[in-house]
Every structure is written in C-alpha cells, then in structure tokens.
Amino acid sequence: QVQQVESGGGSVQAGGSLRLSCAVSPNTYGNCVGWFRQAPGKEREGVAAISTGGNITYYSDSVKGRFTISQDTAKNTVYLQMNSLNVEDTATYYCAARGSAYCFSVRWRDPDYYPGWGQGTQVTVSS
C-alpha cells in the first residue's frame, strides 16, 4: 500500500515562497500524486498533480504560474514549490497518491480519486 508523508509547511509573509515535500513509499514512480489544500470551513481543493509515468503536470487556475509540482524518483519524493504566496493560500496541504502512473485528466482534482492521504502540513501566509 502506498503511503505518503508531507513536510515543509510553515509561516511566511505574502509574496514569499515555500517548498512542500511528499515522501512516497515504497516508490514515487508509478503513482498519480496530487497536492490538495483545505482551509477552515472550506472544501478540500486540488491544486496540482503529477503523472509520474510521463512527468505530466496539472494545476488549478488559482495556483497556475505560481506553484510548480515536480518529482525526484531517486528520493521517492514529490515537491510543490510555492511562489508569490498570498493570504488566500493559507491552508493545510495534503499529499495524495493513486496507484496509477498516469492521472486521469478529468479526475485529478477529485479527492475521491485518491485512496491514500498524508497527514497534512500547515501553510500560513500573513499580510
């Protein structure tokens, strides 16, 4: 069973950057890996995903151009580089994985598409 552990959250001022890491075990390759976030009182939102089989990436409109998802198969880790952060990015960020090398393009942002979730890491952006 695929497991994932997030790290890298923290507090940053608006305009700053953070990089989140998702350690996927036993292997990153062969999984569709997504990053989601959830703010208090809001639904869980898919922000980015990567098809590790073809290094194909997906982004929500709210983060496109600011966030970058990438993988390091040698380290079995998927990263989410977050730049130009604003207060609306404040949330708990979760990593999720599905045992498929390619994400289904119309499902990647659906939380129900992923059977496995990490514990989450908090990102707080202050103005």
Side-chain angles (χ1 to χ4, degrees):
Q1 184 174 349
V2 177
Q3 293 184 326
Q4 43 283 323
V5 178
E6 305 96 333
S7 61
S11 298
V12 64
Q13 288 193 325
S17 299
L18 283 173
R19 188 177 77 162
L20 305 183
S21 299
C22 174
V24 182
S25 61
N27 298 301
T28 300
Y29 187 82
N31 290 286
C32 166
V33 180
W35 280 101
F36 287 74
R37 65 186 181 187
Q38 189 166 21
K42 294 189 176 181
E43 293 186 352
R44 192 164 293 192
E45 172 194 15
V47 296
I50 185 166
S51 296
T52 60
N55 210 37
I56 302 168
T57 58
Y58 305 88
Y59 297 95
S60 66
D61 289 343
S62 61
V63 307
K64 194 174 296 182
R66 301 188 298 122
F67 290 12
T68 302
I69 189 170
S70 62
Q71 61 172 320
D72 185 334
T73 54
K75 296 182 178 180
N76 289 321
T77 300
V78 171
Y79 301 101
L80 185 67
Q81 177 66 45
M82 306 185 295
N83 298 329
S84 301
L85 286 162
N86 56 58
V87 294
E88 289 75 27
D89 295 316
T90 295
T92 301
Y93 283 71
Y94 298 90
C95 173
R98 178 182 176 89
S100 172
Y102 292 86
C103 304
F104 191 22
S105 61
V106 298
R107 293 285 312 275
W108 73 265
R109 66 184 77 209
D110 178 359
D112 292 336
Y113 183 63
Y114 301 87
W117 292 83
Q119 81 288 351
T121 186
Q122 179 66 36
V123 171
T124 303
V125 185
S126 58
S127 58

